[in-house]
Amino acid sequence: MFRSVRALISSRNDRRNRLKRVTDNELDSLIATSYSENSAGRTRWGLFPLLAGRSSTANPKHYEHQHLGSDAGDDDRDDYCVESQTEDQQNLLQQRHQGVGESSHRDRRRSDDDAFLESLPANIADFFDFEELSRFVRIIRHNPSLPEPTSSGLRCHCGNCLVKYSELRIGMISQRGSADEEDSAEVEVLLSRLTKTKLLTAKIQASLTRLETSAGNVQEAIRPIYGNTQRLQQLGTIADIDRTLEAIENIRKPLDITSNEESIIRAGPQKAGLSEFLASIKRTNAALTELKTTNLRSSQDAVAKLNTMLRTGTQQLEFVFRDTLQEDSTPVEPLHYITKELPFPTIAQDKVSRLALINSSVASSSIHLEPDSPAGSIPPTALSFSDIRGTYMAKTLQNLAAASVNTTKKKTPDAIYRQGTNGIGIYASCIEGLFLSEYENACHLFEREHWGPVFVDTTRSALVDFSKTVRELNTHIKANVTTDCFLAYEIIDIVSSLSFRLVEKTGELKDELQDTLKPIRETAKTSLTELLDDTRRRVSNMPSVPLDGAAVPLTSDLMTRLQTMTAYTSPLTTIMVALGDGNWSSTNTSANLQSSTKGFDVGADGRQLLAHYCTDAIDALLQSLENKARAILKGKSLLGVFIANNVAVVESMIRSSDLQPIMTSNWMSRVEIWRKRGISLYLDTWKDPSSYLLDVTYTNRAGQRPPSSSNASINSAEIIKGLSSRDKDALKEKFKAFNASFDDLTSKHKQLTLEPLVKAQLSREVQALIEPLYGRFWDRYREIDKKGKYVRYDKGQLAAVLAGLG
């Protein structure tokens, strides 16, 4: 159907082209005829009869008036209409039709006709078909004197004359028929066929419209499916092609990088420049990663070559790392920084940045060079850092280690260690400052997860030397435990504090420092028992005790040690808590030390444990002294004085030192028992003279009953008068024996070496014992001897003598 429609349309176009050629020839003939008939001076209206279908010989006046009515006689309008053509116009028209400049004129005329056609009324196409309209335009264009076209016809310039387009069309057709009947018939046939063609075209157009509507509906239904399918096919194809090209490019890119980076890596960081060298290593790492990801067999040679290049480059970077690090690793004098309270030096900032970049590059390369190493393992540069900086720290601290050992030497072997005289304190301070500076360096150079391991590895060498120094000091302490055990306490205190501060700031080295303290802790634990055993041993080894009852120097030595212990309360309390209350006793020392954890009480009060230990030490001393003195000293009085003197030394040194707040009343009560024990022993000898002052009173005998009131005066004469001679002789012997015993004891008392406190105490105790008894006895029986032969002391004299004992 579409083919038949196209054939019809093509046939119609051919007919139109033939009509155009015929119309041009007929138009020229029509115009030539019109002007030849009007050449004798006829007006331009001569063409109207021809166009209107009338004879060319018709009277123009008649035609004019026929159309204009009663207004045709107007002179002005008549003159306007009867205006003759000029000769120039007639000559121009004749020249045009005679072929003068026919070709160029015709082309120009056709372009002018097209422009004129645009200016005609829009409805003129309703009266003429295409061919007729073309002829009409040419007639009007070649006759400037013709009326003006309007929407309904041609109007004369006067405004009253009007020729309708339908009449013009009939005239044009009849004129053409008179010229050539055969052509006219053909034109009529063509016009008829054109009309049919128009109808057929309209039908075909309606069919096409319906087809287009149906096709549009089908297209709207199929378009989404077809569009999606086509888009998916295009996308899938394009994506596959892009991925393929990308994969090819990814495979070729790492293979091409080998030759590009080999020259840089072989040149080394010194010649190529560190930045360019690091960038080359980075690109090589990336290429290796891509090639290993593809895992193509064809890329194995390239992988092996890149691995070799990467290993070479990494080794060169390690050399640069070590050389750069070595520049700032010269040992320093630690005392300079400690005495002036300056921080220890760190690596320069510009070198830190450079070293950090090198470490990052080497760490990235280690993933390919050490594929079997676990994730997060320490890079090779960290080992270099630990080696170089560890050596630097060990050399910086080596003099302090030697000084700590040398300061243990003493001029007096028995001298007790004085706090701070050993160099271990300065040694620990330098370790703290140096370790913290090195931790700062590690934080600047390495990743966060590597700070701790690198710091521990770096400090290992210095800690080994420190542990060795502590062991040497421990050996010295064991050999002099009674005098230098306090150095062990000091070391425990110093190292424990050092460990706490380092762990607080770095989170590392707690276990290492605790391991360093293990031997010294055991020595400190055993020293507590050793001090008690040494006290007993020294008492036992004493050749004698002072015969005058004076306190022995051992008492002062023991109290001095106990006083010194108060300076190490913190380490001692931790030791005693770990050891357990009472586990320092020598009776079961080995068993207690083996099961120290059994006696471990985390809630124990360390100060109370220390007070308990001090009390046990005092008990051990006094008990040993008493046992020793019993075998040497004769008489309880001397033994009591000896014990009292040593107790007085103990009490005096407790009150004059930091032991007083530790030794509370609960613990001092045990010391008080020893003091009373000594006084009691001493007063036993005074029981002898006091026994002579006792008498027997018979209440049932007349004259011997004592007065009921103490305020009542005693009549000694009456009492004596009531005694028998035998009783009187007995009283004289009592006075005589008392005098002898009293004089002897006072004489011996004056020969004793007494502590001021003991002297006053004994004087008060003797006076409290003797003076009341003698006063009562003297009041009753003073009249037995008026000459003073038996009664040597009156009450005042005896009181004076007793007071002189103090």
Side-chain angles (χ1 to χ4, degrees):
M1 180 176 182
F2 287 111
R3 291 180 181 178
S4 61
V5 172
R6 290 193 186 99
L8 289 174
I9 294 173
S10 176
S11 175
R12 186 183 63 177
N13 291 336
D14 292 340
R15 291 190 186 97
R16 287 181 178 179
N17 291 334
R18 287 198 305 269
L19 285 175
K20 287 181 182 180
R21 290 192 297 271
V22 172
T23 303
D24 291 340
N25 297 328
E26 290 178 349
L27 180 64
D28 293 339
S29 176
L30 179 62
I31 294 172
T33 303
S34 175
Y35 277 98
S36 63
E37 290 177 352
N38 292 284
S39 59
R42 299 185 69 176
T43 66
R44 55 185 174 178
W45 288 98
L47 184 61
F48 270 70
L50 296 176
L51 295 176
R54 291 172 170 78
S55 174
S56 60
T57 59
N59 190 352
K61 288 287 185 179
H62 173 76
Y63 180 80
E64 177 182 8
H65 292 290
Q66 182 181 355
H67 286 279
L68 299 178
S70 60
D71 294 334
D74 193 313
D75 293 338
D76 294 335
R77 186 179 304 164
D78 194 41
D79 292 340
Y80 177 80
C81 296
V82 184
E83 206 176 86
S84 299
Q85 296 177 342
T86 62
E87 294 182 1
D88 293 335
Q89 293 176 341
Q90 294 178 2
N91 292 335
L92 178 61
L93 292 173
Q94 290 177 1
Q95 290 176 1
R96 289 177 178 175
H97 289 282
Q98 289 175 1
V100 180
E102 184 177 357
S103 177
S104 60
H105 173 69
R106 184 171 298 171
D107 294 336
R108 187 167 55 252
R109 184 183 63 190
R110 287 177 180 175
S111 62
D112 294 337
D113 291 344
D114 293 337
F116 181 77
L117 182 62
E118 295 294 331
S119 64
L120 291 177
N123 63 339
I124 196 171
D126 298 334
F127 302 96
F128 301 95
D129 58 11
F130 179 81
E131 293 80 6
E132 293 170 348
L133 183 62
S134 299
R135 292 178 60 200
F136 176 75
V137 168
R138 290 189 181 92
I139 293 172
I140 299 302
R141 288 287 297 162
H142 287 282
N143 293 274
S145 60
L146 288 179
E148 179 183 2
T150 63
S151 61
S152 58
L154 293 178
R155 185 177 295 279
C156 180
H157 293 289
C158 65
N160 295 323
C161 298
L162 177 66
V163 179
K164 297 182 178 181
Y165 288 130
S166 58
E167 295 175 353
L168 289 175
R169 182 172 181 273
I170 295 173
M172 291 170 62
I173 294 174
S174 61
Q175 176 63 27
R176 187 177 56 187
S178 62
D180 192 352
E181 294 292 337
E182 189 173 330
D183 291 341
S184 177
E186 184 178 355
V187 169
E188 291 294 335
V189 172
L190 290 175
L191 290 175
S192 175
R193 290 180 177 177
L194 181 60
T195 302
K196 294 178 180 180
T197 302
K198 288 181 179 180
L199 294 175
L200 183 60
T201 302
K203 293 178 180 180
I204 292 172
Q205 185 66 35
S207 299
L208 288 175
T209 301
R210 290 192 297 273
L211 286 175
E212 287 178 357
T213 302
S214 300
N217 294 334
V218 174
Q219 185 177 9
E220 290 298 326
I222 297 176
R223 180 182 295 172
I225 301 174
Y226 174 75
N228 291 336
T229 304
Q230 186 179 19
R231 184 163 54 254
L232 290 175
Q233 290 177 349
Q234 291 177 352
L235 289 176
T237 304
I238 294 173
D240 291 341
I241 294 173
D242 291 341
R243 283 196 296 269
T244 302
L245 293 175
E246 184 179 359
I248 295 172
E249 184 64 24
N250 291 336
I251 294 173
R252 292 181 57 189
K253 187 176 180 181
L255 295 175
D256 296 340
I257 202 173
T258 304
S259 58
N260 299 334
E261 307 301 337
E262 186 176 9
S263 59
I264 298 176
I265 293 177
R266 291 187 180 277
Q270 288 81 6
K271 294 182 180 180
L274 182 60
S275 300
E276 182 62 27
F277 192 83
L278 291 174
S280 177
I281 293 294
K282 183 177 181 180
R283 292 192 293 270
T284 305
N285 275 319
L288 261 177
T289 302
E290 293 181 5
L291 287 177
K292 290 182 178 180
T293 303
T294 58
N295 198 22
L296 296 176
R297 185 176 301 174
S298 59
S299 63
Q300 296 304 314
D301 293 339
V303 170
K305 188 172 184 180
L306 286 175
N307 268 324
T308 303
M309 291 169 51
L310 190 61
R311 188 176 300 278
T312 302
T314 302
Q315 291 175 351
Q316 292 175 337
L317 286 177
E318 290 181 26
F319 291 146
V320 174
F321 187 90
R322 293 182 67 89
D323 293 340
T324 304
L325 195 62
Q326 195 69 50
E327 295 175 0
D328 283 357
S329 299
T330 304
V332 297
E333 175 54 51
L335 292 178
H336 169 74
Y337 298 95
I338 292 298
T339 55
K340 295 186 177 181
E341 299 181 354
L342 297 175
F344 279 83
T346 57
I347 302 174
Q349 187 60 40
D350 57 335
K351 294 181 181 179
V352 166
S353 302
R354 194 186 319 160
L355 292 172
L357 291 174
I358 295 175
N359 172 71
S360 177
S361 179
V362 173
S364 301
S365 302
S366 299
I367 300 175
H368 300 293
L369 300 178
E370 303 292 339
D372 297 333
S373 61
S377 58
I378 297 177
T381 47
L383 301 178
S384 300
F385 178 87
S386 299
D387 180 27
I388 295 174
R389 298 301 293 181
T391 303
Y392 152 76
M393 287 195 296
K395 290 182 178 181
T396 298
L397 298 171
Q398 63 183 359
N399 293 334
L400 295 176
S404 299
V405 176
N406 292 334
T407 51
T408 57
K409 298 177 180 179
K410 298 181 293 183
K411 295 180 179 180
T412 305
D414 296 335
I416 296 178
Y417 173 78
R418 291 184 295 109
Q419 187 177 17
T421 55
N422 189 265
I424 191 68
I426 297 177
Y427 192 5
S429 298
C430 291
I431 285 178
E432 181 181 0
L434 197 60
F435 280 22
L436 291 178
S437 297
E438 215 54 43
Y439 182 75
E440 182 179 352
N441 289 332
C443 293
H444 289 159
L445 294 181
F446 302 101
E447 297 294 334
R448 177 66 182 86
E449 61 271 15
H450 295 156
W451 291 356
V454 171
F455 176 64
V456 172
D457 290 343
T458 305
T459 59
R460 182 172 287 110
S461 179
L463 282 177
V464 168
D465 293 342
F466 183 68
S467 298
K468 181 180 178 182
T469 302
V470 172
R471 287 195 301 271
E472 292 180 5
L473 294 175
N474 185 52
T475 303
H476 169 78
I477 293 168
K478 284 183 176 181
N480 304 273
V481 66
T482 57
T483 57
D484 291 346
C485 61
F486 309 103
L487 177 58
Y489 309 149
E490 182 178 27
I491 293 174
I492 293 173
D493 189 21
I494 290 173
V495 178
S496 298
S497 300
L498 173 64
S499 174
F500 176 78
R501 291 192 294 270
L502 287 178
V503 170
E504 184 181 23
K505 294 180 181 179
T506 66
E508 304 294 337
L509 301 182
K510 179 179 181 180
D511 295 337
E512 289 79 357
L513 290 173
Q514 293 302 319
D515 292 340
T516 301
L517 283 179
K518 280 183 179 180
I520 208 80
R521 281 186 182 277
E522 294 302 320
T523 301
K525 288 179 182 179
T526 58
S527 69
L528 297 175
T529 304
E530 185 63 26
L531 284 177
L532 300 179
D533 293 342
D534 179 69
T535 300
R536 299 186 184 97
R537 187 169 50 251
R538 290 177 68 182
V539 172
S540 178
N541 294 334
M542 289 172 55
S544 179
V545 295
L547 298 178
D548 58 356
V552 293
L554 181 58
T555 303
S556 299
D557 292 345
L558 176 63
M559 295 308 298
T560 301
R561 293 176 184 177
L562 296 179
Q563 286 178 341
T564 307
M565 283 185 175
T566 58
Y568 308 99
T569 304
S570 178
L572 276 173
T573 53
T574 58
I575 293 170
M576 290 179 178
V577 169
L579 188 60
D581 191 6
N583 288 340
W584 48 75
S585 176
S586 60
T587 56
N588 54 353
T589 301
S590 59
N592 287 332
L593 288 177
Q594 292 176 0
S595 61
S596 59
T597 55
K598 182 178 179 181
F600 184 81
D601 183 7
V602 293
D605 188 348
R607 293 175 66 86
Q608 291 298 315
L609 292 178
L610 180 58
H612 188 184
Y613 177 79
C614 292
T615 304
D616 286 351
I618 294 170
D619 285 343
L621 170 67
L622 296 177
Q623 187 64 55
S624 300
L625 289 176
E626 182 183 6
N627 296 336
K628 184 72 173 181
R630 282 184 183 276
I632 298 174
L633 299 177
K634 295 180 180 180
K636 294 182 178 180
S637 176
L638 192 57
L639 178 61
V641 170
F642 178 72
I643 293 174
N645 279 332
N646 285 283
V647 171
V649 172
V650 169
E651 289 182 331
S652 176
M653 295 188 74
I654 288 175
R655 291 189 175 93
S656 62
S657 67
D658 291 336
L659 283 171
Q660 185 175 8
I662 296 175
M663 300 288 290
T664 58
S665 58
N666 293 333
W667 303 109
M668 285 301 295
S669 61
R670 294 176 59 177
V671 178
E672 183 68 18
I673 292 173
W674 280 103
R675 185 182 66 80
K676 292 180 178 180
R677 185 186 184 96
I679 294 175
S680 177
L681 289 173
Y682 175 75
L683 292 178
D684 279 346
T685 59
W686 288 89
K687 290 180 181 180
D688 181 59
S690 63
S691 64
Y692 298 120
L693 301 177
L694 300 177
D695 60 343
V696 179
T697 301
Y698 298 98
T699 59
N700 58 351
R701 293 181 181 180
Q704 291 189 359
R705 183 175 181 177
S708 58
S709 176
S710 60
N711 295 326
S713 60
I714 298 175
N715 191 345
S716 176
E718 291 182 359
I719 294 174
I720 295 298
K721 186 184 295 185
L723 296 177
S724 63
S725 59
R726 186 179 178 179
D727 292 335
K728 291 179 181 179
D729 292 338
L731 287 173
K732 291 178 182 180
E733 288 297 327
K734 285 186 178 183
F735 272 108
K736 184 179 179 180
F738 170 80
N739 293 334
S741 177
F742 180 77
D743 292 341
D744 180 60
L745 289 177
T746 55
S747 175
K748 291 179 179 180
H749 180 85
K750 293 178 180 180
Q751 295 175 3
L752 297 174
T753 301
L754 300 173
E755 295 292 328
L757 180 62
V758 174
K759 190 175 183 179
Q761 287 177 346
L762 293 179
S763 176
R764 289 195 300 269
E765 293 295 336
V766 170
Q767 191 172 5
L769 175 64
I770 300 298
E771 188 173 1
L773 292 175
Y774 187 81
R776 173 183 171 282
F777 194 80
W778 184 84
D779 286 340
R780 289 179 61 85
Y781 306 112
R782 64 179 181 275
E783 295 296 333
I784 195 71
D785 181 20
K786 295 182 180 181
K787 296 180 180 180
K789 182 179 180 180
Y790 300 103
V791 183
R792 185 178 301 175
Y793 305 101
D794 59 14
K795 290 194 299 184
Q797 291 173 339
L798 184 69
V801 173
L802 292 176
L805 297 179

